Amino acid sequence: MKKAIIISLALLLSVSYTLGQSTYEKLKREQEARFKKEQAEQKKRIERNIRNQDAMIELKVDNQKKRIWLKQSLQSGTPQPKIDEPDNPRTFDPDNDERIQFDRIITTPESDEPFESILEDSESEVDNDAFEEIIPQINEEVRVEISGLEAQFDVDYFGDALSVNYDPNMFFKMDRVSENRIEEQVRRLEASRYMPLLSQIKQKQAEYSLNDWGFCHLINTAAKEMYPYDKNAQTVFNWFMLSKAGYIATVCYEDNQVFLLAPCKQTLYGKTFLRSNQYGKMYALDLNGGNPEIRSAKVYYDEDESGMTRGRGNRVLDLKMTKAPNFAPRNKKRLLTFAYEGQNYELPIEVNVNTIEFFKTYPFVDLDIYMGTPLSSPAQRTLVASLREMVQDLQPMRNRRTVEEEQVNFLLRFVQTAFPYQTDAMQFGGEKYLFADEVLFYKYSDCEDRSVLFSWLVREIVGLDVVGVLYPGHAATAVSFNRKVPGDYITYRGKTYTICDPTYINANYGMLLPDVRGQIAKVVDHR
């Protein structure tokens, strides 16, 4: 019995020991698991703290990079090209032809290349088509977002009722100007719903067939409605929106006034500029039509990869116009008369005054921009259509052997004699190049204006290649005929271009104005 009790006790102790060992192992495993979990969580906390610290450091550095304001000197604008024309144009006298023989005109060496402005001192590659995706197209989702914006403005935009919704949180005042104040307002714009507004402006740009300058004008129209009487706020807004649209831009300030700075593919004459190592000339642009003259100012620099901009883009303003603006019609009628080979012609035309008003806002650029800009719709419908019909029945006369020669002479006589001549100094008080529509609108025109219109008509109606030819004190054109024709000519890019002077009254193709004979010419290529 005693032995049985001892055995039972031993078994009990053995079972208790086994159960205790099992519990101990379980507790040990649980404790190790808790320790590993706490260790892992602690490691995560440490890593998170490190990341946060790195982010704070990065943010601090980034903020430091975005808050660089340097006192910079700006340079006076490039003087506008001046053509000292006579008060009265020369008229060709067949009985007193001063030409001895037909000559090849001497052109400058650079005439072997296209006459086009480029970014000066710039090494950056610029692709203006690479950033369209920055601004979303107005689809149903964007349309709903636009309708949810609480503020709206309505304004007459060249004859069209322009209605735009925007976020009221974009509103601010620039009652004082400082680095901190400008940064504060930009942060306000950053936090707003600015993209739907940008989408609406982009859509209107497409509707009106506007180029980069038109886009700037639309943005500034919004600025004037959103910040009336606050020009500094308008400038900061213009800078912000251009940057968000992918354009290179920055601001500077002097004497409590903010100015917009932006590079351009073309030379903007008369505009004060800051020379940038990366982007060439950064022009001081007053989108309200002023011409700021800044001697020195504090300029905002952003040293990240995008350069002097707050946006993601690398676009440079391009003032070339491949399409005529498409504004609401406000047409003015004009009757043009001229004679050719003993027959009188009358040409009723129409010009859209809204297009003329837009051209009044345009900066002074080189002649190639004017030569390459198409005529607007009413001018195409009236002038070009009528002239095309008139030249269809022309037959070669005298020593001319092809219809295209006769057609070019016909268009020459039209431009030479249908428009009264007057110098820019007499009509505008200073040098001013005119777009083709403006030649039709204003009462008078001079040599470069007529060259602009004539070159467009020849390309559009006859289908021949035309370049401009600039002399000291005179402008003309040259046409590449499909066969060799007699007359004064230039060679350009391996082709022969025959002189056609729209201001040398009654002169046919191939007749160079005697006043510029022997002078070196420069080729102007609109392409």
Side-chain angles (χ1 to χ4, degrees):
M1 181 68 178
K2 184 176 181 181
K3 186 177 180 181
I5 292 173
I6 292 172
I7 293 172
S8 298
L9 182 59
L11 288 172
L12 180 61
L13 289 173
S14 176
V15 171
S16 299
Y17 174 80
T18 302
L19 291 173
Q21 184 70 23
S22 175
T23 302
Y24 169 77
E25 293 294 336
K26 181 180 179 182
L27 291 173
K28 183 180 178 182
R29 287 195 300 272
E30 290 176 353
Q31 187 177 14
E32 288 176 348
R34 281 196 303 271
F35 176 76
K36 288 181 180 179
K37 183 179 179 181
E38 291 175 0
Q39 192 177 38
E41 290 178 351
Q42 184 179 15
K43 184 179 179 181
K44 288 181 180 179
R45 284 195 299 272
I46 292 172
E47 291 176 348
R48 187 163 55 246
N49 289 337
I50 291 174
R51 285 197 301 272
N52 290 340
Q53 289 175 3
D54 289 343
M56 291 299 293
I57 293 171
E58 184 179 348
L59 179 62
K60 185 177 180 181
V61 171
D62 191 52
N63 285 339
Q64 288 175 349
K65 285 164 59 177
K66 290 186 177 181
R67 294 182 61 82
I68 297 177
W69 292 86
L70 298 178
K71 189 79 169 179
Q72 299 280 276
S73 296
L74 283 83
Q75 301 179 35
S76 298
T78 305
Q80 295 177 352
K82 185 172 176 56
I83 298 181
D84 297 316
E85 293 187 79
D87 290 341
N88 296 296
R90 289 287 299 271
T91 300
F92 174 68
D93 182 2
D95 297 326
N96 188 25
D97 188 355
E98 300 179 33
R99 295 172 304 150
I100 299 175
Q101 60 183 5
F102 295 129
D103 290 336
R104 176 184 182 275
I105 310 305
I106 302 173
T107 56
T108 55
E110 58 265 30
S111 293
D112 291 333
E113 296 298 329
F115 179 79
E116 57 183 10
S117 301
I118 59 173
L119 287 176
E120 300 182 56
D121 303 327
S122 173
E123 298 178 357
S124 61
E125 294 291 331
V126 177
D127 182 5
N128 274 10
D129 295 325
F131 301 98
E132 294 297 322
E133 73 280 359
I134 291 178
I135 306 171
Q137 298 292 321
I138 296 185
N139 51 30
E140 187 59 33
E141 183 179 352
V142 176
R143 193 171 288 108
V144 169
E145 189 174 2
I146 290 172
S147 65
L149 300 175
E150 295 84 358
Q152 184 182 61
F153 67 79
D154 297 274
V155 63
D156 179 89
Y157 190 75
F158 297 113
D160 186 35
L162 181 62
S163 180
V164 174
N165 294 9
Y166 67 96
D167 184 355
N169 292 319
M170 300 183 77
F171 179 78
F172 61 90
K173 290 183 179 180
M174 283 295 295
D175 47 356
R176 66 183 187 280
V177 176
S178 68
E179 292 94 325
N180 289 338
R181 184 66 174 160
I182 293 173
E183 282 287 330
E184 178 185 339
Q185 305 314 330
V186 170
R187 284 195 296 270
R188 174 185 290 273
L189 291 172
E190 290 271 10
S192 70
R193 291 173 289 172
Y194 62 83
M195 193 56 77
L197 173 58
L198 207 49
S199 295
Q200 293 172 86
I201 293 174
K202 196 68 178 177
Q203 182 189 45
K204 291 299 179 181
Q205 179 191 12
E207 289 179 8
Y208 299 136
S209 298
L210 298 178
N211 65 346
D212 286 354
W213 181 255
F215 184 65
C216 291
H217 196 275
L218 276 168
I219 288 176
N220 189 58
T221 299
K224 289 190 290 186
E225 293 299 314
M226 294 167 62
Y227 313 97
Y229 316 113
D230 192 342
K231 193 170 181 180
N232 287 332
Q234 294 171 16
T235 303
V236 172
F237 172 84
N238 289 336
W239 167 44
F240 177 82
M241 296 296 277
L242 280 173
S243 297
K244 290 304 179 183
Y247 291 90
I248 300 162
T250 190
V251 288
C252 65
Y253 75 92
E254 179 187 41
D255 298 332
N256 207 45
Q257 188 171 353
V258 185
F259 303 96
L260 176 67
L261 295 175
C264 185
K265 283 190 173 183
Q266 292 77 26
T267 298
L268 306 186
Y269 290 97
K271 298 291 184 185
T272 302
F273 63 88
L274 170 72
R275 189 173 291 281
S276 163
N277 291 333
Q278 188 174 6
Y279 300 115
K281 293 178 180 178
M282 303 281 293
Y283 291 99
L285 299 179
D286 182 352
L287 300 182
N288 288 309
N291 195 21
E293 295 184 6
I294 316 165
R295 293 292 169 259
S296 67
K298 280 196 170 183
V299 182
Y300 175 90
Y301 284 87
D302 181 352
E303 292 189 329
D304 64 12
E305 294 178 358
S306 60
M308 301 167 71
T309 173
R310 299 192 69 96
R312 294 185 293 159
N314 194 25
R315 302 184 67 174
V316 173
L317 292 175
D318 186 356
L319 270 64
K320 188 180 225 179
M321 274 189 282
T322 57
K323 297 179 181 178
N326 181 32
F327 295 124
R330 183 160 65 102
N331 295 345
K332 177 182 177 180
K333 296 182 178 181
R334 183 179 181 182
L335 181 65
L336 301 174
T337 60
F338 69 105
Y340 182 71
E341 295 292 352
Q343 183 174 346
N344 295 324
Y345 295 87
E346 288 189 347
L347 251 175
I349 65 166
E350 294 182 9
V351 183
N352 191 346
V353 179
N354 287 323
T355 302
I356 303 301
E357 292 298 321
F358 173 73
F359 285 150
K360 287 180 181 178
T361 73
Y362 228 76
F364 196 116
V365 289
D366 279 312
L367 195 60
D368 58 320
I369 298 300
Y370 300 84
M371 289 182 64
T373 300
L375 279 166
S376 64
S377 177
Q380 285 275 16
R381 187 184 68 251
T382 55
L383 173 69
V384 174
S386 297
L387 286 173
R388 184 177 282 122
E389 184 177 347
M390 290 176 181
V391 301
Q392 279 182 351
D393 298 328
L394 291 177
Q395 296 299 321
M397 300 178 64
R398 308 191 186 206
N399 64 335
R400 297 183 285 274
R401 289 186 286 174
T402 63
V403 172
E404 68 179 22
E405 295 172 54
E406 201 68 41
Q407 291 175 337
V408 168
N409 264 353
F410 182 88
L411 295 177
L412 256 180
R413 200 72 75 248
F414 163 67
V415 178
Q416 288 167 350
T417 59
F419 306 92
Y421 174 90
Q422 196 174 86
T423 64
D424 289 333
M426 297 169 66
Q427 183 170 200
F428 300 109
E431 194 67 33
K432 176 180 173 62
Y433 293 165
L434 298 182
F435 291 98
D437 274 272
E438 293 179 300
V439 179
L440 303 177
F441 176 81
Y442 291 109
K443 184 175 181 180
Y444 303 103
S445 57
D446 63 5
C447 63
E448 69 270 9
D449 308 327
R450 297 172 183 218
S451 296
V452 167
L453 178 61
F454 175 75
S455 65
W456 175 258
L457 292 177
V458 172
R459 296 195 307 268
E460 189 75 2
I461 296 174
V462 190
L464 297 179
D465 187 18
V466 188
V467 296
V469 185
L470 282 181
Y471 302 91
H474 188 60
T477 67
V479 176
S480 177
F481 289 93
N482 287 318
R483 76 168 190 93
K484 188 175 181 179
V485 298
D488 295 314
Y489 66 95
I490 64 171
T491 55
Y492 171 63
R493 285 183 155 184
K495 294 173 63 176
T496 297
Y497 290 79
T498 303
I499 293 295
C500 294
D501 194 330
T503 315
Y504 190 11
I505 297 176
N506 293 331
N508 294 328
Y509 65 79
M511 296 181 178
L512 177 65
L513 185 70
D515 305 58
V516 298
R517 181 165 295 281
Q519 297 187 33
I520 297 177
K522 185 170 186 176
V523 175
V524 181
D525 192 343
H526 73 280
R527 292 166 294 186

